[in-house]
Amino acid sequence: MRTLLDLVLPLECAGCGVPGEQWCTGCSRALYVPPVVVRPRVDPGVPCWALGTYSGPRRSGIIALKERGRRSVARPFGRALAEAVGHLRVAGEIDPPELGSLVLVCAPTRARAARARGGDPVLRCARIAAEQLAPETVLVPELLRMSTGVRDSVGLSAGQRQSNVAGRVEVVGVRRSRSDNGGARTGSCTVLLVDDVVTTGATLAESARVLKDFGVPLAGALVVAHA
Ligand SMILES: [Zn+2]
């Protein structure tokens, strides 16, 4: 659904500004690519893949989506993430659907920031990626939350970012009880952490650690761009 903002602004590509389209063919070519392996400074302990660097249409698109509330960008991003999943499967990096149901877990965002932006844009992208992979059933549970007290990470060093998020990522919406047997259930799942940008990897690493502690084995992290 197009937002009010999309309706009142003259239509131009959110990636490059060319008039007439939400997301042009040229910018699509920059997104629909096999993901590349990235190695953030803070090692998340699992493979991390990105669609490219934080530049050009990826950067413009992320800013439009996150800072300007341009929700339509979630569609090409979601499609690109779905295609990236296909590439990772073909390359044997993650299991095919017959070996494990795909679960896309969004990296946690600061709650207040997400509310101010009218919902979590990464969650929107992940949901569209799941739709694109239909008829395969892909779960997009709202599993991770950043607790209060986390500062905006802009301008922080890798070490500062690590201590900023340390112990602040929480698993929500799932009960871990003896009868639940969560480990057995997640054994047949391929869990991918999804985010828009990876900078130092601090949030990814903390998320991976928390999920592991919770008995959710992470297959890797997939992001739109790496800084
Ligand atoms: Zn464009």
Side-chain angles (χ1 to χ4, degrees), residues 18-145:
V18 75
E21 295 177 84
Q22 297 278 9
W23 193 264
C24 76
T25 316
C27 289
S28 295
R29 273 199 293 271
L31 278 189
Y32 304 152
V33 292
V36 293
V37 175
V38 293
R39 291 186 175 79
R41 264 171 289 165
V42 182
D43 182 8
V46 292
C48 181
W49 299 281
L51 302 178
T53 56
Y54 186 57
S55 62
R58 287 174 299 272
R59 179 176 183 274
S60 308
I62 287 168
I63 292 171
L65 180 66
K66 283 176 73 175
E67 313 299 334
R68 308 207 177 114
R70 191 149 168 198
R71 297 180 187 198
S72 64
V73 178
R75 190 144 293 279
F77 279 12
R79 280 183 53 191
L81 292 171
E83 292 208 9
V85 165
H87 284 296
L88 291 174
R89 283 175 171 162
V90 168
E93 299 283 359
I94 58 171
D95 282 338
E98 50 287 8
L99 288 186
S101 311
L102 184 63
V103 181
L104 300 177
V105 176
C106 296
T109 185
R110 291 186 308 143
R112 202 188 310 153
R115 270 201 303 275
R117 293 192 299 257
D120 179 359
V122 175
L123 181 62
R124 197 179 301 275
C125 296
R127 283 183 175 151
I128 289 167
E131 278 171 32
Q132 294 289 321
L133 289 162
E136 178 186 344
T137 302
V138 178
L139 297 176
V140 188
E142 290 183 65
L143 208 55
L144 295 176
R145 185 174 63 186

Side-chain angles (χ1 to χ4, degrees), residues 70 81 113 145 167 183 189 198 210 223:
R70 191 149 168 198
L81 292 171
R145 185 174 63 186
C189 290
V198 61
V210 168
V223 302

Side-chain angles (χ1 to χ4, degrees), residues 153-216:
S153 59
V154 172
L156 299 185
S157 70
Q160 286 169 327
R161 281 177 191 238
Q162 248 181 308
S163 51
N164 190 30
V165 297
R168 295 238 166 81
V169 174
E170 305 168 333
V171 175
V172 290
V174 188
R175 276 184 307 115
R176 179 168 50 176
S177 66
R178 249 173 280 168
S179 59
D180 198 19
N181 200 6
R185 271 193 300 112
T186 55
S188 57
C189 290
T190 301
V191 184
L192 277 184
L193 195 69
V194 173
D195 207 352
D196 49 2
V197 192
V198 61
T199 308
T200 60
T203 303
L204 287 189
E206 185 65 6
S207 302
R209 189 190 66 76
V210 168
L211 287 172
K212 195 178 168 193
D213 283 357
F214 209 79
V216 178

